[in-house]
């Protein structure tokens, strides 16, 4: 079955295209998202064509007027506008509508331009704004972590390695561990903004153009900082898309680690946090349930983000230069990741501000274990015992206690001394949880004073826009 709707490229064809081809080939249902960017970039192109005397001033004005009219038309009723338009993509849709609106002059807009340099210019123009939005969300989330760190300078909880109690830490220090990951994420997106901020218009289909165009002018009009310097590369380069999908994936991996802790800490076994009712969900069957759907979904979205990254890289692998239709597959992946990461960042921030951190529970969890064993060894080491020997002695004390179902705090001085004569009665104070964290007073350590210093440094870096 053939379709008789006229294509922008119908000149060399005798027959209309098959319906199934049109259906398969069409990207309008997703690239319509770029209608505004497509129009803004076309306006800049039309201005430049007149400035360079490639079309007349009047023709340019007529085109620009038509484009603005189309923008209003679309914004008045998007659904209706796109239902009526049967074009294969957003670029053809707007160009054919322009020709219908302003007549013959509209046919001059595409002078010195191809959809190959146009599509990626639109994507770059759109993505710049999106990356900026992501960075803003990231900054807000980072500030929340910093504020929580300030609130919990002295809150003590068990620190884990291998999910086994390892050493006591301050909750403030824990929050700043995520602040650091987010700071690196912000820097990666800043870098990505630079690789995205490149004008590709002027590259034509792949070879450049023979018209005396002014690419600097278009770059200035659209706020691009750079101009692509190889037309073949310009129409095929999707590195900045892959970078963005990677940055989103890594950011999401970071958030999934935090989300996993929130799920765990919300369990009856941990009870380190209480989620406020507005940010938890219930079960349709079990009346007692209060589920942490938000962090579970934040954790779960990571699969989608990594999938989109792998999808993009796989699409790019092995395609020959320059533009190939495969590249049309870039947009849905990108749109999906961008839409999802924005909501993830927004809800992560709200969720974090609607949790009560149960300091007593955390303290209790750290109190009923041998989490301070390293500090016992350090006590002896500071009195001259080589660390390896101290480690062995404390290992024996731990085994002794486990056999008798006792903790360090239950031992008498003579029991301590039966393991080593250098233990004095100050051992009790030296291994209190507060002493343990205060003693980690090294740059980057968990001591409250170090957390205060780290907050100061964090506020100095990338803090506000
Ligand atoms: N819809 C296309 C895309 O998204 C636009 C470029 C089409 N170019 C072409 N030569 N058919 O990649």
């Amino acid at each position: 079955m053939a379709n008789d709707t006229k294509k922008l490229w119908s000149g060399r064809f005798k027959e209309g295209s098959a319906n199934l081809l049109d259906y398969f080939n069409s990207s309008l249902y997703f690239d319509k998202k770029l209608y505004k960017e497509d129009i803004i970039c076309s306006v800049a192109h039309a201005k430049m064509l007149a400035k360079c005397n490639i079309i007349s001033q009047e023709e340019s004005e007529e085109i620009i007027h038509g484009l603005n009219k189309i923008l209003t038309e679309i914004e008045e009723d998007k659904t209706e506008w796109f239902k009526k338009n049967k074009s294969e993509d957003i670029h053809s849709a707007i160009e054919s509508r322009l020709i219908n609106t302003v007549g013959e002059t509209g046919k001059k807009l595409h002078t010195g331009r191809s959809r190959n340099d146009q599509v990626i210019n639109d994507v770059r123009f759109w993505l710049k704004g999106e990356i900026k939005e992501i960075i803003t969300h990231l900054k807000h989330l980072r500030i929340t972590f910093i504020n929580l760190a300030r609130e919990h300078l002295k809150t003590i909880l068990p620190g884990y390695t291998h999910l086994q109690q390892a050493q006591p830490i301050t909750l403030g220090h824990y929050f700043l561990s995520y602040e650091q990951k987010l700071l690196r994420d912000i820097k990666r997106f800043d870098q990505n903004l630079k690789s995205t901020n490149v004008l590709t218009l002027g590259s034509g289909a792949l070879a450049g153009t023979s018209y005396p165009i002014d690419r600097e002018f278009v770059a200035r009009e659209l706020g691009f900082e750079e101009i692509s310097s190889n037309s073949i590369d310009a129409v095929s380069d999707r590195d900045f898309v892959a970078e963005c999908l990677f940055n989103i994936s890594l950011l999401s991996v970071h958030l999934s680690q935090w989300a996993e802790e929130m799920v765990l800490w919300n369990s009856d076994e941990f009870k380190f946090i209480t989620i406020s009712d507005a940010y938890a969900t219930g079960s349709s069957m079990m009346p007692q349930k209060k589920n942490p759907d938000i962090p579970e979904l934040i954790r779960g979205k990571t699969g989608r983000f990594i999938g989109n990254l792998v999808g993009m890289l796989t699409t790019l692998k092995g395609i020959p230069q320059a533009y190939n239709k495969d590249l049309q597959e870039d947009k849905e992946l990108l749109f999906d990741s961008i839409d999802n990461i924005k909501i993830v960042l927004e809800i992560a921030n709200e969720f974090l501000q609607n949790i009560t951190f149960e300091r007593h529970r955390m303290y209790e969890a750290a109190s009923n274990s041998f989490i301070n064993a390293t500090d016992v060894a350090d006590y002896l080491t500071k009195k001259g015992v080589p660390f390896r020997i101290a480690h062995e002695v404390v290992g024996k004390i731990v085994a002794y206690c486990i056999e008798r179902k006792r903790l360090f705090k239950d031992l008498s001085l003579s029991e301590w001394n039966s393991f080593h004569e250098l233990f004095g009665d100050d051992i009790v104070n030296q291994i209190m949880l507060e002493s343990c964290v205060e003693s980690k007073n090294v740059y980057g350590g968990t001591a409250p004073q170090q957390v205060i210093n780290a907050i100061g440094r964090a506020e100095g870096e990338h803090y506000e826009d």
Side-chain angles (χ1 to χ4, degrees):
M1 184 71 93
N3 174 349
D4 295 330
T5 316
K6 191 162 159 43
K7 300 281 190 313
L8 292 171
W9 39 257
S10 60
R12 67 103 59 226
F13 291 83
K14 291 199 188 80
E15 274 177 51
S17 53
N19 285 337
L20 198 54
L21 176 142
D22 285 345
Y23 177 72
F24 186 57
N25 206 28
S26 170
S27 56
L28 187 58
Y29 71 94
F30 59 83
D31 65 18
K32 63 184 178 194
K33 195 180 181 90
L34 298 173
Y35 73 87
K36 197 188 283 167
E37 289 72 21
D38 193 72
I39 290 177
I40 294 172
C41 294
S42 286
V43 167
H45 181 69
K47 269 193 199 165
M48 180 279 292
L49 290 178
K51 180 184 169 282
C52 299
N53 297 317
I54 299 165
I55 62 175
S56 73
Q57 193 58 39
E58 295 70 45
E59 287 169 333
S60 169
E61 278 164 22
E62 215 182 315
I63 289 173
I64 293 169
H65 183 72
L67 287 169
N68 286 330
K69 210 167 140 212
I70 295 171
L71 182 61
T72 317
E73 247 175 44
I74 299 179
E75 294 198 322
E76 261 163 19
D77 191 350
K78 276 188 205 134
T79 325
E80 212 23 55
W81 199 93
F82 286 110
K83 212 191 284 171
K84 274 195 262 170
N85 203 302
K86 297 270 172 281
S87 304
E88 68 179 77
D89 58 22
I90 185 63
H91 326 291
S92 319
I94 290 171
E95 193 183 330
S96 52
R97 180 72 191 131
L98 179 73
I99 295 167
N100 283 341
T101 311
V102 306
E104 287 302 292
T105 316
K107 296 185 178 170
K108 296 198 170 183
L109 172 63
H110 214 51
T111 315
R113 185 177 81 168
S114 153
R115 274 185 300 157
N116 298 354
D117 59 353
Q118 181 183 1
V119 63
I120 204 55
N121 203 74
D122 288 359
V123 172
R124 286 173 178 278
F125 190 71
W126 169 81
L127 188 57
K128 281 201 289 175
E130 297 296 318
I131 294 177
K132 283 181 194 157
E133 239 183 82
I134 292 175
I135 293 175
T136 304
H137 282 306
L138 262 170
K139 285 183 176 173
H140 291 160
L141 182 58
R142 184 168 170 261
I143 290 170
T144 302
F145 275 112
I146 295 172
N147 290 341
L148 283 168
R150 200 181 290 106
E151 237 176 83
H152 290 283
L153 285 176
K154 293 193 172 170
T155 305
I156 294 176
L157 78 158
Y160 299 83
T161 63
H162 312 266
L163 208 53
Q164 303 289 306
Q165 287 205 3
Q167 290 191 288
I169 55 169
T170 50
L171 187 56
H173 195 50
Y174 162 85
F175 286 131
L176 292 186
S177 72
Y178 283 104
E179 171 276 319
Q180 284 288 296
K181 292 181 201 302
L182 296 184
L183 177 62
R184 292 194 296 274
D185 288 319
I186 292 171
K187 289 179 179 171
R188 269 186 286 271
F189 279 107
D190 270 340
Q191 203 52 42
N192 192 193
L193 192 55
K194 291 198 176 72
S195 60
T196 303
N197 209 349
V198 181
L199 176 96
T200 57
L201 280 177
S203 306
L206 84 165
T209 174
S210 52
Y211 298 95
I213 61 169
D214 183 346
R215 300 188 68 200
E216 277 80 15
F217 174 85
V218 184
R220 269 198 308 279
E221 282 290 302
L222 297 174
F224 279 109
E225 269 171 17
E226 275 182 59
I227 295 174
S228 59
S229 46
N230 179 296
S231 58
I232 303 172
D233 178 49
V235 295
S236 60
D237 173 21
R238 299 294 183 272
D239 292 4
F240 70 100
V241 175
E243 277 163 28
C244 186
L245 293 172
F246 171 78
N247 292 344
I248 291 173
S249 299
L250 188 52
L251 161 60
S252 172
V253 166
H254 291 153
L255 295 178
S256 78
Q257 296 169 344
W258 161 72
E260 166 65 13
E261 279 149 1
M262 294 305 99
V263 173
L264 212 55
W265 290 9
N266 180 59
S267 67
D268 289 330
E269 285 69 19
F270 271 83
K271 285 199 172 72
F272 281 8
I273 57 168
T274 304
I275 305 171
S276 68
D277 281 0
Y279 290 85
T281 50
S283 154
S284 57
M285 185 178 123
M286 298 161 283
Q288 85 284 12
K289 291 291 287 293
K290 192 170 162 189
N291 290 333
D293 284 25
I294 294 177
E296 287 173 85
L297 264 177
I298 292 175
R299 187 179 59 187
K301 295 270 183 197
T302 315
R304 162 200 300 260
F305 294 131
I306 296 174
N308 288 341
L309 168 65
V310 174
M312 183 75 253
L313 290 173
T314 312
T315 296
L316 293 175
K317 180 195 172 290
I319 55 169
Q321 298 284 28
Y323 180 84
N324 299 272
K325 196 63 177 241
D326 316 41
L327 292 174
Q328 180 165 285
E329 291 292 311
D330 60 356
K331 280 172 282 300
E332 277 171 295
L333 305 178
L334 186 60
F335 294 166
D336 182 70
S337 283
I338 295 276
D339 286 348
N340 276 285
I341 197 66
K342 285 197 298 191
I343 177 77
V344 162
L345 286 168
E346 212 176 319
I347 202 155
N349 196 6
E350 277 191 30
F351 179 74
L352 204 42
Q353 294 176 61
N354 284 280
I355 296 172
T356 310
F357 292 90
E358 306 294 355
R359 20 181 129 212
H360 298 299
R361 246 315 283 155
M362 292 179 175
Y363 194 87
E364 188 193 320
S367 302
N368 295 311
S369 72
F370 298 97
I371 197 164
N372 44 2
T374 314
D375 300 274
V376 180
D378 289 342
Y379 173 94
L380 287 179
T381 307
K382 282 172 192 162
K383 291 195 170 186
V385 180
F387 181 76
R388 194 45 61 217
I389 292 174
H391 185 283
E392 172 87 18
V393 169
V394 181
K396 293 214 166 83
I397 304 177
V398 171
Y400 173 89
C401 287
I402 291 173
E403 261 172 44
R404 288 162 184 76
K405 294 196 167 46
R406 293 164 74 188
L407 294 167
F408 291 141
K409 61 179 181 245
D410 307 320
L411 297 179
S412 68
L413 185 57
S414 61
E415 281 177 300
W416 282 108
N417 286 139
S418 68
F419 289 97
H420 205 289
E421 75 274 9
L422 284 177
F423 284 117
D425 49 15
D426 59 339
I427 180 69
V428 182
N429 274 336
Q430 293 291 306
I431 62 167
M432 274 168 58
L433 297 178
E434 290 76 5
S435 318
C436 295
V437 296
E438 260 155 41
S439 70
K440 306 299 177 307
N441 199 13
V442 61
Y443 185 100
T446 198
Q449 186 52 50
Q450 290 301 330
V451 177
I452 293 173
N453 298 349
I455 291 172
R457 293 196 298 273
E459 284 176 341
E461 216 174 339
H462 277 263
Y463 196 57
E464 301 280 4
D465 286 315

